[in-house]
Amino acid sequence: REAAALTQLSPQISYVSVATALCLALAILLALHRVVVRPVKRLEEAAARLARGEQHDLKRDQGRVGDEVARLAEQFSEMADAVRDRELRLGVRNAELKLILDSVDQGFLTARMDGTLLPERSAIVEKWAGPLPPDASVWSLAGLIEPSAASWMRMAWDQASSDILPLEVAMDQLPKRRQREGQQFSLAYHPVLVDEQLQRVVSVMTDITAEVERQRVL
């Protein structure tokens, strides 16, 4: 009789066990969602806002999340504050650098190894050569000053950046003089090395028209 009764109760026991397991699994999932998933999603949203340069509000959420996630949120908030503070300092330094570059009577430019110019440059360069496009290169600048010089400048730059010749010889291959509408310019090149590898080239343009005229008179 006991075996028969147990046999009759087995399906009910199975149903109760499955229902209990499902309830426990649901409770665990809900707890995980509340304690882990939701705070992590808030961190992800805050990271997206930080990437867009917007403000973050993680500090007010720290009391509603678990200890580990709360510490993570606090560290992320401190990191975001440090990033924003660094961006402010960099903005001030860039403004000061631009003020200095715009105040000198020489043209300072920095070129990558592919020949493209960095946007930080002296304002007088565009006064001499005209407006430069965002993707301006050393040879397009040379073409604005002296149209016939663009192709030669590109060949010389490719040779200088190919790392075939010694650095001094490669730099010496680059053109040293250009003229535009009666103005004479000298060009000097200063390599920037990182771990003995050429990474940038700083070009300095100088208006030597008066000096050339004085030498011609003498």
Side-chain angles (χ1 to χ4, degrees):
R1 290 195 300 272
E2 294 175 355
L6 184 60
T7 301
Q8 292 178 354
L9 290 175
S10 293
Q12 299 177 4
I13 294 174
S14 299
Y15 295 149
V16 171
S17 299
V18 171
T20 303
L22 290 176
C23 290
L24 287 174
L26 181 61
I28 292 173
L29 289 176
L30 290 175
L32 287 174
H33 184 272
R34 181 176 181 181
V35 176
V36 178
V37 177
R38 191 184 301 172
V40 170
K41 288 187 69 174
R42 282 200 291 269
L43 285 175
E44 183 181 0
E45 294 172 357
R49 290 196 297 272
L50 179 63
R52 295 192 299 267
E54 301 176 3
Q55 296 292 330
H56 60 89
D57 54 356
L58 285 174
K59 291 183 178 180
R60 66 182 181 85
D61 293 335
Q62 291 175 10
R64 301 185 304 203
V65 299
D67 294 339
E68 295 295 331
V69 178
R71 284 195 292 270
L72 179 60
E74 182 178 0
Q75 293 173 0
F76 182 85
S77 179
E78 292 175 355
M79 180 191 71
D81 291 338
V83 170
R84 186 164 52 251
D85 182 62
R86 184 180 64 181
E87 289 179 347
L88 290 174
R89 292 200 302 270
L90 286 176
V92 172
R93 290 183 180 179
N94 288 339
E96 293 175 349
L97 177 60
K98 186 176 185 304
L99 180 62
I100 294 173
L101 289 176
D102 291 347
S103 302
V104 297
D105 57 358
Q106 287 181 299
F108 291 89
L109 309 101
T110 305
R112 302 182 181 92
M113 296 314 301
D114 61 356
T116 56
L117 295 172
L118 297 180
E120 295 78 15
R121 63 179 69 100
S122 303
I124 200 169
V125 172
E126 296 197 1
K127 179 181 178 181
W128 290 337
L132 296 177
D135 58 345
S137 61
V138 289
W139 47 85
S140 65
L141 174 61
L144 289 174
I145 297 175
E146 189 175 339
S148 61
S151 59
W152 167 247
M153 183 66 177
R154 179 158 193 169
M155 288 189 296
W157 186 269
D158 290 341
Q159 187 176 18
S161 60
S162 61
D163 200 24
I164 298 177
L165 299 174
L167 182 59
E168 295 79 7
V169 177
M171 291 292 103
D172 193 57
Q173 299 297 317
L174 297 173
K176 305 297 190 300
R177 291 284 187 94
R178 285 290 173 259
Q179 60 180 351
R180 181 175 189 262
E181 298 178 355
Q183 281 186 294
Q184 301 285 337
F185 300 100
S186 68
L187 300 172
Y189 306 94
H190 304 276
V192 179
L193 303 178
V194 178
D195 296 331
E196 299 184 355
Q197 295 293 322
L198 184 61
Q199 299 293 327
R200 300 283 190 273
V201 176
V202 177
S203 303
V204 182
M205 292 180 58
T206 305
D207 186 350
I208 58 171
T209 306
E211 180 181 349
V212 172
E213 290 297 329
R214 184 168 57 252
Q215 293 178 353
R216 184 179 300 171
V217 171
L218 296 177

